[in-house]
Amino acid sequence: MKRPSTIRAVRVFALLLLLAVICGAFAGCSKENSTPAVTTEAATGDNEVTYPDFGGKDFRIMFRTSYAYEFRANEGNTGDRINDAVYARNELIQTRYNVNFRNMIYNHSWKYATLNTEFVDTLANWMNVGEDAVDLIAGYHRYVLPTVTNDWYLTWQDIPGIDLKADTWQNGINETLTIGGNTYAITGDIALTFWKMMSSMVFNKQLAIALDAGNLYDVVTAGDWTLEKMMELAGRIGTSDGGAVRYGFASDSDVAIDAFVTSFGVRTVNISEDGNVTINVVNDRSLKVTDKLSELYSAEYSYKDHKTENDPSKEYFTAGNVLFNAMRFEMIERIRKLEFDYGVLPYPKLDSDQKDYYSSVTDGVSLMFVPKTVPDKELVGTITQALAEESRTSVRPEYIELVLKGNAARDAQTLAMIDLIRDTVMVDPGYILNGRTGLAIRNAVRSNIGLGDKPTGLESYWEGHSEAAKASLDKFITAYKKK
């Protein structure tokens, strides 16, 4: 049955080539601005798939220097499976749609004061004069999102070819960023940073067995993985006979705290479908979360040397002296050839009353924007969706199988945990739209454990920041409703 299908596909392709030649010879063969199509045989050999042909146009992608690996790759079989997967993805899409990727790489900074100076300043120069300079912008989460108020972007609802409900896009984030029916920024499997910045709780399996912790995967599956359960297990740890310092729990004291807040389902800002905003930083739940996290980080069994240069995962977890270590996936990448086995869990629920698990991605993740200056929306939508789909089917498996399976995901249950983490990503609108609201609990916890500039509780912190936060959020909502 496949041979007639193949012959038919060849004949159709030959006919299309002939028509293309005829159209090139005679004016008026096609309507102005229409996009030709190329028909190819599907992988099964039984069906024909038609892809738009963009006639060799450039597809210009703006991204950050430190995260260039998301879109740029070295040619050939380099031995780096992630690089090779990205390269193969790019080649496939460029050939399939007859486009040329053009990389536009700019520096960024973690510093709030500089606000990604080169990246944002370059973007501002283009937008202020209406220059058609870029098709897709992969920007730095909370640092580039404030530029929405400058009226620089199209909504993704205006872009043909994008299915915002598809599995390729992470709806826990994208729905948060949809206000009044308008979405200016999206992310998902198109961005490797979406995976790298994902938060998880890594545990030492040997220590868990020694402490009679039971099968922690089963605890998660049963819905019983709570902060109380984690703290009870962490409290069983003690100094080893050899005198080595051991911890039941270790982490950084900034984004890991944010990840806990997310995992407990806290929303400091709620936005209704029609765009009405309710700020809810101080309430019974947020106060309980602040108290419980302060207790966790102050506990005798917890790591406390929270200087910027000190990473407990490097010194203590890799030495086998930490039971639970909060890690982003990018941190798991750096753990190589340990002498012990370990597993990956989601962050815990706050308590047994919490129904669902929630997972966090930190603000380094790339968000995708479309500038208002693009001349070809179909090009942007088609190629962006193709990048997302091919990333999900070819790049993502390489990342999970090589980076995670080779180190952490050593059994089917851990792989199930990774799927659970990915599928439960949630973002507090306050965290992504305004740091004063989203970081309120972090700052209160830090002050409670002696890491803040001065002691301050959640209520007093919010009292000093509420007016500025409200003004900033009002700007966002006005910009989203403007369309």
Side-chain angles (χ1 to χ4, degrees), residues 290-337:
T290 302
D291 290 343
K292 294 300 292 184
L293 289 177
S294 299
E295 179 185 346
L296 170 65
Y297 277 82
S298 300
E300 183 178 353
Y301 54 75
S302 292
Y303 171 86
K304 298 179 181 64
D305 190 9
H306 291 294
K307 297 176 183 177
T308 304
E309 65 274 14
N310 293 340
D311 179 355
S313 67
K314 293 179 181 178
E315 181 177 356
Y316 294 103
F317 188 83
T318 54
N321 294 322
V322 172
L323 176 58
F324 296 113
N325 203 140
M327 293 189 195
R328 298 178 299 279
F329 281 7
E330 65 170 351
M331 297 168 68
I332 300 176
E333 290 179 47
R334 299 195 290 265
I335 299 175
R336 303 291 181 185
K337 297 182 179 179

Side-chain angles (χ1 to χ4, degrees), residues 40-52:
T40 61
E41 188 177 1
T44 62
D46 295 325
N47 299 297
E48 294 167 353
V49 179
T50 300
Y51 300 104

Side-chain angles (χ1 to χ4, degrees), residues 14-141:
L15 177 60
L16 285 171
L17 288 177
L18 178 60
L19 289 172
V21 172
I22 295 173
C23 288
F26 296 98
C29 182
S30 62
K31 295 181 180 179
E32 186 178 0
N33 296 327
S34 64
T35 302
V38 173
T39 303
T40 61
E41 188 177 1
T44 62
D46 295 325
N47 299 297
E48 294 167 353
V49 179
T50 300
Y51 300 104
D53 184 335
F54 291 102
K57 287 183 179 178
D58 285 340
F59 185 72
R60 303 155 298 176
I61 311 173
M62 183 182 189
F63 49 85
R64 301 166 283 161
T65 303
S66 297
Y67 304 95
Y69 54 75
E70 292 188 294
F71 296 101
R72 183 183 65 182
N74 296 319
E75 183 177 357
N77 296 318
T78 65
D80 181 334
R81 289 172 57 180
I82 306 302
N83 172 88
D84 294 348
V86 171
Y87 180 80
R89 175 201 68 186
N90 292 351
E91 287 295 292
L92 174 66
I93 293 173
Q94 289 180 101
T95 301
R96 176 181 289 169
Y97 296 98
N98 192 11
V99 295
N100 298 306
F101 288 162
R102 184 150 69 86
N103 299 323
M104 310 177 72
I105 311 170
Y106 296 91
N107 292 320
H108 72 284
S109 169
W110 287 88
K111 301 292 185 181
Y112 278 98
T114 54
L115 195 64
N116 300 323
T117 301
E118 184 181 17
F119 190 97
V120 174
D121 284 356
T122 301
L123 188 57
N125 290 335
W126 292 337
M127 295 299 103
N128 289 338
V129 297
E131 182 177 350
D132 170 26
V134 62
D135 297 299
L136 181 67
I137 299 164
Y140 193 131
H141 198 293

